[in-house]
């Protein structure tokens, strides 16, 4: 099983586990828990989803 630590802004937020032709995300930080167990086609897609999710939640909290 191939695993990789995923960081956002220098902080580990979860791991990506390669399954078949995709990566399953296992969140370990609350601010990305909504992405837990989601599957992504690539690590680039996973990191983009985390970035977008965090940015979206910041704008919701600021409103």
């Amino acid at each position: 099983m191939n695993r990789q630590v995923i960081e956002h802004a220098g902080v580990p937020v979860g791991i990506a586990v390669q399954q078949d032709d995709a990566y399953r995300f296992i969140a370990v930080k609350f601010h990305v828990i909504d992405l837990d167990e989601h599957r992504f086609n690539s690590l680039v897609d996973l990191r983009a989803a985390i970035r977008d999710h965090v940015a979206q939640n910041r704008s919701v909290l600021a409103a």
Side-chain angles (χ1 to χ4, degrees), residues 6-56:
I6 303 298
E7 294 184 357
H8 176 72
V11 176
V13 295
I15 62 170
V17 179
Q18 190 171 14
Q19 291 183 327
D20 301 321
D21 59 345
Y23 291 89
R24 182 171 56 98
F25 180 61
I26 301 172
V28 297
K29 293 292 185 181
F30 183 73
H31 64 282
V32 294
I33 200 72
D34 291 339
L35 299 174
D36 189 51
E37 295 295 325
H38 286 220
R39 293 172 55 100
F40 299 90
N41 291 326
S42 69
L43 293 175
V44 170
D45 291 345
L46 169 53
R47 289 185 180 101
I50 291 170
R51 183 186 63 241
D52 294 347
H53 179 74
V54 170
Q56 180 181 20

